[in-house]
Amino acid sequence: CAPGYRLGDSVHVYPEFVMLRGPEPLLAKINAVETESKVFDDVSASVETDLKIVLPEGNAQLSVQPAMVKMNA
């Protein structure tokens, strides 16, 4: 990051929670989901972007709503 810009605790994701649907045995194995990775170079201002939710591999029977979240940093 550029001088004066650090992510630290300033990253916020909205919504904070998503809804997973699918067979209960698969849902029982999931404690959290992740977003796609994104790299920001030479950041010198606030960043806002949409990130796609990524389900763990082998969970094609699951669906997630919303499929994307908004990240502000």
Side-chain angles (χ1 to χ4, degrees):
C1 292
Y5 286 90
R6 295 181 52 99
L7 290 178
D9 294 332
S10 64
V11 176
H12 302 282
V13 178
Y14 302 99
E16 293 181 15
F17 299 95
V18 296
M19 171 87 58
L20 291 174
R21 293 180 193 260
E24 203 284 327
L26 291 178
L27 293 172
K29 296 177 184 179
I30 297 175
N31 294 320
V33 293
E34 297 182 4
T35 64
E36 65 184 318
S37 295
K38 221 167 222 191
V39 175
F40 301 96
D41 294 319
D42 299 320
V43 174
S44 60
S46 296
V47 174
E48 182 175 301
T49 190
D50 291 329
L51 298 172
K52 188 166 58 170
I53 300 291
V54 178
L55 294 174
E57 284 190 35
N59 288 301
Q61 293 177 299
L62 298 180
S63 65
V64 61
Q65 287 295 321
M68 298 187 87
V69 294
K70 186 168 294 297
M71 188 263 325
N72 296 304

